[in-house]
Amino acid sequence: MKKEKKVINFDEKDYVEAAGKRLRQARLALGFSQKDFCQILDVKTSIYSGWENGNYLIDPFIATKISIDFSIPMDFIYSGKKDNLPDKLRKYLFS
């Protein structure tokens, strides 16, 4: 008997907005202003703001940079998985 694949229904707009919210949470947990974080990431503030505000999804290259440089798992940014979060982010999210 074949196992049926589970189909996850989600609204793209809701997904992008949720990813933006998690990106903001990560930045705030790290203690950066948006301006300072943009300088570190070498991203225009207007573009980064669009990601945080859920206007469009964060660029995978920048998400990778955040993951490598700040130990913020890409799974958290893109899907909200809370496994392996750094203590600073975990405390920010759950305090």
Side-chain angles (χ1 to χ4, degrees):
M1 187 191 273
K2 279 190 172 182
K3 187 175 181 181
E4 289 187 35
K5 289 184 180 181
K6 184 177 181 181
V7 177
I8 299 172
N9 293 318
F10 67 89
D11 179 75
E12 185 176 353
K13 184 177 182 334
D14 290 343
Y15 174 79
V16 173
E17 287 176 355
K21 180 180 176 183
R22 290 187 293 270
L23 183 61
R24 178 180 312 213
Q25 291 171 327
R27 174 182 58 80
L28 292 173
L30 292 167
F32 291 111
S33 70
Q34 198 176 77
K35 181 181 177 184
D36 290 341
F37 206 44
C38 290
Q39 287 177 334
I40 292 166
L41 298 172
D42 195 25
V43 174
K44 290 182 180 180
T45 306
S46 59
I47 291 174
Y48 184 87
S49 177
W51 294 335
E52 277 196 1
N53 291 325
N55 296 331
Y56 37 90
L57 194 58
I58 183 173
D59 180 277
F61 176 78
I62 300 300
T64 301
K65 184 173 175 64
I66 292 170
S67 180
I68 292 168
D69 292 351
F70 300 103
S71 301
I72 305 295
M74 289 176 61
D75 279 351
F76 172 72
I77 294 171
Y78 285 114
S79 65
K81 280 185 75 177
K82 295 180 174 85
D83 301 341
N84 302 317
L85 290 177
D87 287 339
K88 198 173 197 179
L89 180 55
R90 185 176 301 284
K91 287 176 186 173
Y92 180 85
L93 292 173
F94 301 113
S95 63

